[in-house]
Amino acid sequence: DRTKPELIPPPSLQDRIVGAAAGAGSTAIQGTVELLKFAGGATLSTTGAIIAPPLKVTQQVIFPSLWEACKDYLNYATPKRVKDWFKIFSSSIYHFVTVLKNTHRGKIFRERAIHVGADILHVVSSDSSRQVIVDAVATLVKLAEALNTPQFKEF
């Protein structure tokens, strides 16, 4: 006596999006991969050309998922010493920017940096400076060729 297997309806579009965005796998990376696989399949037109996902889906689903996946991967793959170094570096940059933005001497420094930057741009764009840059690049190319010879490799 055979019984008919119960047919389970396929999940709805909304259920698939929520499942992919929620991370159907155990990590944010797996969830993002599932979301991207779904988005890639859902955004193919009938002609086979890829069309862009709607802006709302990109902003609310894809970008946050990619951000979480990147954070998850970096947390997993980065050694503790590098994490500590990044904390110190980011704190130093934050304090440097705060000093530049909120102090009188920072304002003076910003004005001088803008003035020096304009002068550097003016100097670099002159004909003689361009010739110096071309000569320096040619010298580097010739040095690289010389370092790649069998005689130098024997040295």
Side-chain angles (χ1 to χ4, degrees), residues 45-60:
S45 71
T46 56
T47 62
I50 296 177
I51 56 174
L55 182 61
K56 187 174 182 179
V57 172
T58 302
Q59 290 175 338
Q60 294 180 352

Side-chain angles (χ1 to χ4, degrees), residues 5-121:
E6 189 176 322
L7 294 177
I8 300 172
S12 68
L13 179 64
Q14 184 178 5
D15 291 339
R16 290 179 64 194
I17 291 174
V18 169
S26 60
T27 66
I29 292 175
Q30 290 172 337
T32 302
V33 168
E34 289 299 317
L35 176 66
L36 291 176
K37 282 182 2 187
F38 169 74
T43 57
L44 287 176
S45 71
T46 56
T47 62
I50 296 177
I51 56 174
L55 182 61
K56 187 174 182 179
V57 172
T58 302
Q59 290 175 338
Q60 294 180 352
V61 178
I62 296 175
F63 286 157
S65 296
L66 288 175
W67 176 250
E68 288 302 319
C70 289
K71 284 183 4 185
D72 192 23
Y73 177 74
L74 287 176
N75 248 353
Y76 172 73
T78 307
K80 182 169 176 15
R81 289 181 133 188
V82 175
K83 288 179 188 177
D84 292 342
W85 187 85
F86 276 120
K87 286 179 186 175
I88 292 168
F89 183 72
S90 65
S91 176
S92 299
I93 296 295
Y94 171 76
H95 291 297
F96 177 72
V97 169
T98 302
V99 167
L100 284 180
K101 285 174 55 179
N102 298 333
T103 64
H104 177 66
R105 289 190 178 258
K107 180 180 177 186
I108 293 171
F109 178 80
R110 288 192 318 263
E111 290 171 356
R112 289 181 180 172
I114 290 170
H115 184 71
V116 168
D119 288 346
I120 288 173
L121 186 62

